[in-house]
mmCIF file of all heavy atoms in Angstrom:
data_model
loop_
_atom_site.group_PDB
_atom_site.id
_atom_site.type_symbol
_atom_site.label_atom_id
_atom_site.label_comp_id
_atom_site.label_asym_id
_atom_site.label_seq_id
_atom_site.Cartn_x
_atom_site.Cartn_y
_atom_site.Cartn_z
ATOM 1 N N ILE A 81 11.060 13.020 -3.782
ATOM 2 C CA ILE A 81 9.704 13.553 -3.861
ATOM 3 C C ILE A 81 8.695 12.458 -3.575
ATOM 4 O O ILE A 81 8.768 11.363 -4.157
ATOM 5 C CB ILE A 81 9.443 14.152 -5.261
ATOM 6 C CG1 ILE A 81 10.394 15.322 -5.538
ATOM 7 C CG2 ILE A 81 7.991 14.607 -5.396
ATOM 8 C CD1 ILE A 81 10.332 15.835 -6.971
ATOM 9 N N THR A 82 7.742 12.746 -2.687
ATOM 10 C CA THR A 82 6.671 11.797 -2.418
ATOM 11 C C THR A 82 5.403 12.552 -2.029
ATOM 12 O O THR A 82 5.396 13.780 -1.913
ATOM 13 C CB THR A 82 7.077 10.769 -1.350
ATOM 14 O OG1 THR A 82 6.131 9.692 -1.360
ATOM 15 C CG2 THR A 82 7.157 11.393 0.029
ATOM 16 N N ALA A 83 4.333 11.794 -1.802
ATOM 17 C CA ALA A 83 3.014 12.393 -1.544
ATOM 18 C C ALA A 83 2.871 12.839 -0.105
ATOM 19 O O ALA A 83 3.335 12.172 0.827
ATOM 20 C CB ALA A 83 1.920 11.389 -1.891
ATOM 21 N N ASP A 84 2.188 13.959 0.085
ATOM 22 C CA ASP A 84 1.896 14.491 1.416
ATOM 23 C C ASP A 84 0.791 13.691 2.105
ATOM 24 O O ASP A 84 0.737 13.632 3.325
ATOM 25 C CB ASP A 84 1.468 15.958 1.275
ATOM 26 C CG ASP A 84 1.344 16.680 2.614
ATOM 27 O OD1 ASP A 84 2.164 16.411 3.511
ATOM 28 O OD2 ASP A 84 0.442 17.514 2.750
ATOM 29 N N PHE A 85 -0.069 13.080 1.323
ATOM 30 C CA PHE A 85 -1.237 12.374 1.849
ATOM 31 C C PHE A 85 -0.980 10.877 1.798
ATOM 32 O O PHE A 85 -1.309 10.192 0.832
ATOM 33 C CB PHE A 85 -2.478 12.744 1.025
ATOM 34 C CG PHE A 85 -3.772 12.188 1.576
ATOM 35 C CD1 PHE A 85 -4.284 12.622 2.788
ATOM 36 C CD2 PHE A 85 -4.500 11.262 0.855
ATOM 37 C CE1 PHE A 85 -5.475 12.124 3.285
ATOM 38 C CE2 PHE A 85 -5.702 10.753 1.334
ATOM 39 C CZ PHE A 85 -6.184 11.187 2.555
ATOM 40 N N THR A 86 -0.337 10.370 2.846
ATOM 41 C CA THR A 86 -0.052 8.942 2.952
ATOM 42 C C THR A 86 0.401 8.633 4.360
ATOM 43 O O THR A 86 0.507 9.527 5.206
ATOM 44 C CB THR A 86 1.021 8.509 1.918
ATOM 45 O OG1 THR A 86 1.176 7.082 1.963
ATOM 46 C CG2 THR A 86 2.373 9.146 2.224
ATOM 47 N N PHE A 87 0.684 7.360 4.631
ATOM 48 C CA PHE A 87 1.174 6.954 5.938
ATOM 49 C C PHE A 87 2.614 7.430 6.118
ATOM 50 O O PHE A 87 3.389 7.498 5.157
ATOM 51 C CB PHE A 87 1.096 5.435 6.080
ATOM 52 C CG PHE A 87 1.516 4.938 7.432
ATOM 53 C CD1 PHE A 87 0.859 5.344 8.585
ATOM 54 C CD2 PHE A 87 2.583 4.063 7.548
ATOM 55 C CE1 PHE A 87 1.249 4.881 9.829
ATOM 56 C CE2 PHE A 87 2.983 3.596 8.792
ATOM 57 C CZ PHE A 87 2.318 3.996 9.937
ATOM 58 N N ALA A 88 2.992 7.699 7.357
ATOM 59 C CA ALA A 88 4.270 8.342 7.653
ATOM 60 C C ALA A 88 5.486 7.504 7.273
ATOM 61 O O ALA A 88 6.576 8.052 7.079
ATOM 62 C CB ALA A 88 4.341 8.696 9.133
ATOM 63 N N ALA A 89 5.340 6.186 7.163
ATOM 64 C CA ALA A 89 6.499 5.346 6.854
ATOM 65 C C ALA A 89 7.189 5.789 5.568
ATOM 66 O O ALA A 89 8.423 5.683 5.446
ATOM 67 C CB ALA A 89 6.076 3.885 6.740
ATOM 68 N N THR A 90 6.428 6.291 4.623
ATOM 69 C CA THR A 90 6.997 6.688 3.336
ATOM 70 C C THR A 90 8.024 7.791 3.502
ATOM 71 O O THR A 90 9.108 7.760 2.894
ATOM 72 C CB THR A 90 5.880 7.142 2.370
ATOM 73 O OG1 THR A 90 4.844 6.150 2.353
ATOM 74 C CG2 THR A 90 6.427 7.322 0.964
ATOM 75 N N VAL A 91 7.718 8.778 4.320
ATOM 76 C CA VAL A 91 8.651 9.888 4.546
ATOM 77 C C VAL A 91 9.629 9.573 5.675
ATOM 78 O O VAL A 91 10.742 10.100 5.713
ATOM 79 C CB VAL A 91 7.882 11.196 4.803
ATOM 80 C CG1 VAL A 91 7.183 11.172 6.143
ATOM 81 C CG2 VAL A 91 8.788 12.404 4.717
ATOM 82 N N GLU A 92 9.231 8.690 6.566
ATOM 83 C CA GLU A 92 10.071 8.316 7.703
ATOM 84 C C GLU A 92 11.431 7.781 7.255
ATOM 85 O O GLU A 92 12.478 8.175 7.770
ATOM 86 C CB GLU A 92 9.336 7.257 8.526
ATOM 87 C CG GLU A 92 10.063 6.725 9.735
ATOM 88 C CD GLU A 92 9.201 5.710 10.458
ATOM 89 O OE1 GLU A 92 8.751 4.731 9.814
ATOM 90 O OE2 GLU A 92 8.965 5.902 11.656
ATOM 91 N N VAL A 93 11.414 6.892 6.279
ATOM 92 C CA VAL A 93 12.684 6.290 5.854
ATOM 93 C C VAL A 93 13.566 7.293 5.122
ATOM 94 O O VAL A 93 14.803 7.195 5.174
ATOM 95 C CB VAL A 93 12.434 5.041 4.988
ATOM 96 C CG1 VAL A 93 11.706 3.973 5.789
ATOM 97 C CG2 VAL A 93 11.660 5.369 3.716
ATOM 98 N N ILE A 94 12.952 8.246 4.433
ATOM 99 C CA ILE A 94 13.728 9.302 3.775
ATOM 100 C C ILE A 94 14.499 10.084 4.833
ATOM 101 O O ILE A 94 15.708 10.324 4.700
ATOM 102 C CB ILE A 94 12.801 10.230 2.965
ATOM 103 C CG1 ILE A 94 12.048 9.435 1.887
ATOM 104 C CG2 ILE A 94 13.605 11.363 2.322
ATOM 105 C CD1 ILE A 94 10.966 10.246 1.177
ATOM 106 N N ALA A 95 13.807 10.450 5.905
ATOM 107 C CA ALA A 95 14.436 11.212 6.983
ATOM 108 C C ALA A 95 15.494 10.390 7.711
ATOM 109 O O ALA A 95 16.562 10.900 8.061
ATOM 110 C CB ALA A 95 13.373 11.696 7.955
ATOM 111 N N LEU A 96 15.227 9.104 7.939
ATOM 112 C CA LEU A 96 16.180 8.253 8.643
ATOM 113 C C LEU A 96 17.511 8.150 7.913
ATOM 114 O O LEU A 96 18.566 8.019 8.538
ATOM 115 C CB LEU A 96 15.590 6.849 8.826
ATOM 116 C CG LEU A 96 14.575 6.674 9.955
ATOM 117 C CD1 LEU A 96 13.904 5.316 9.864
ATOM 118 C CD2 LEU A 96 15.238 6.847 11.312
ATOM 119 N N LEU A 97 17.471 8.218 6.599
ATOM 120 C CA LEU A 97 18.685 8.109 5.791
ATOM 121 C C LEU A 97 19.342 9.472 5.544
ATOM 122 O O LEU A 97 20.283 9.566 4.765
ATOM 123 C CB LEU A 97 18.364 7.435 4.456
ATOM 124 C CG LEU A 97 17.952 5.959 4.551
ATOM 125 C CD1 LEU A 97 17.467 5.450 3.201
ATOM 126 C CD2 LEU A 97 19.097 5.104 5.080
ATOM 127 N N ASN A 98 18.822 10.497 6.220
ATOM 128 C CA ASN A 98 19.332 11.869 6.046
ATOM 129 C C ASN A 98 19.201 12.366 4.605
ATOM 130 O O ASN A 98 19.971 13.225 4.162
ATOM 131 C CB ASN A 98 20.798 11.974 6.507
ATOM 132 C CG ASN A 98 20.924 11.888 8.011
ATOM 133 O OD1 ASN A 98 20.122 12.473 8.739
ATOM 134 N ND2 ASN A 98 21.908 11.146 8.479
ATOM 135 N N LEU A 99 18.223 11.822 3.910
ATOM 136 C CA LEU A 99 17.831 12.381 2.619
ATOM 137 C C LEU A 99 16.868 13.536 2.893
ATOM 138 O O LEU A 99 16.426 13.735 4.017
ATOM 139 C CB LEU A 99 17.160 11.305 1.765
ATOM 140 C CG LEU A 99 17.933 9.987 1.614
ATOM 141 C CD1 LEU A 99 17.084 8.938 0.919
ATOM 142 C CD2 LEU A 99 19.236 10.205 0.863
ATOM 143 N N THR A 100 16.531 14.280 1.865
ATOM 144 C CA THR A 100 15.641 15.423 2.035
ATOM 145 C C THR A 100 14.263 15.098 1.467
ATOM 146 O O THR A 100 14.108 14.969 0.247
ATOM 147 C CB THR A 100 16.201 16.677 1.339
ATOM 148 O OG1 THR A 100 17.488 16.977 1.886
ATOM 149 C CG2 THR A 100 15.275 17.871 1.535
ATOM 150 N N PRO A 101 13.261 14.929 2.335
ATOM 151 C CA PRO A 101 11.918 14.668 1.818
ATOM 152 C C PRO A 101 11.323 15.919 1.188
ATOM 153 O O PRO A 101 11.440 17.017 1.742
ATOM 154 C CB PRO A 101 11.134 14.245 3.058
ATOM 155 C CG PRO A 101 11.877 14.828 4.204
ATOM 156 C CD PRO A 101 13.306 14.949 3.801
ATOM 157 N N VAL A 102 10.703 15.737 0.051
ATOM 158 C CA VAL A 102 9.997 16.831 -0.627
ATOM 159 C C VAL A 102 8.551 16.364 -0.805
ATOM 160 O O VAL A 102 8.261 15.517 -1.653
ATOM 161 C CB VAL A 102 10.645 17.179 -1.980
ATOM 162 C CG1 VAL A 102 9.846 18.282 -2.683
ATOM 163 C CG2 VAL A 102 12.097 17.592 -1.796
ATOM 164 N N LEU A 103 7.661 16.901 -0.001
ATOM 165 C CA LEU A 103 6.265 16.494 -0.020
ATOM 166 C C LEU A 103 5.475 17.338 -1.014
ATOM 167 O O LEU A 103 5.653 18.561 -1.070
ATOM 168 C CB LEU A 103 5.664 16.636 1.374
ATOM 169 C CG LEU A 103 6.316 15.759 2.448
ATOM 170 C CD1 LEU A 103 5.826 16.161 3.831
ATOM 171 C CD2 LEU A 103 6.028 14.289 2.179
ATOM 172 N N VAL A 104 4.621 16.673 -1.784
ATOM 173 C CA VAL A 104 3.792 17.385 -2.765
ATOM 174 C C VAL A 104 2.345 16.927 -2.637
ATOM 175 O O VAL A 104 2.044 15.891 -2.031
ATOM 176 C CB VAL A 104 4.300 17.168 -4.207
ATOM 177 C CG1 VAL A 104 5.737 17.665 -4.348
ATOM 178 C CG2 VAL A 104 4.199 15.710 -4.634
ATOM 179 N N ASP A 105 1.454 17.695 -3.235
ATOM 180 C CA ASP A 105 0.019 17.462 -3.123
ATOM 181 C C ASP A 105 -0.418 16.256 -3.956
ATOM 182 O O ASP A 105 0.350 15.696 -4.754
ATOM 183 C CB ASP A 105 -0.727 18.719 -3.568
ATOM 184 C CG ASP A 105 -2.049 18.909 -2.833
ATOM 185 O OD1 ASP A 105 -2.400 18.083 -1.979
ATOM 186 O OD2 ASP A 105 -2.734 19.916 -3.128
ATOM 187 N N VAL A 106 -1.676 15.876 -3.764
ATOM 188 C CA VAL A 106 -2.235 14.711 -4.444
ATOM 189 C C VAL A 106 -3.449 15.116 -5.274
ATOM 190 O O VAL A 106 -3.929 16.247 -5.183
ATOM 191 C CB VAL A 106 -2.627 13.615 -3.429
ATOM 192 C CG1 VAL A 106 -1.395 13.104 -2.695
ATOM 193 C CG2 VAL A 106 -3.682 14.118 -2.441
#
Side-chain angles (χ1 to χ4, degrees):
I81 298 172
T82 194
D84 189 37
F85 186 67
T86 186
F87 183 60
T90 310
V91 70
E92 179 179 55
V93 297
I94 300 172
L96 281 170
L97 293 172
N98 288 319
L99 309 172
T100 301
V102 178
L103 298 169
V104 300
D105 211 0
V106 297

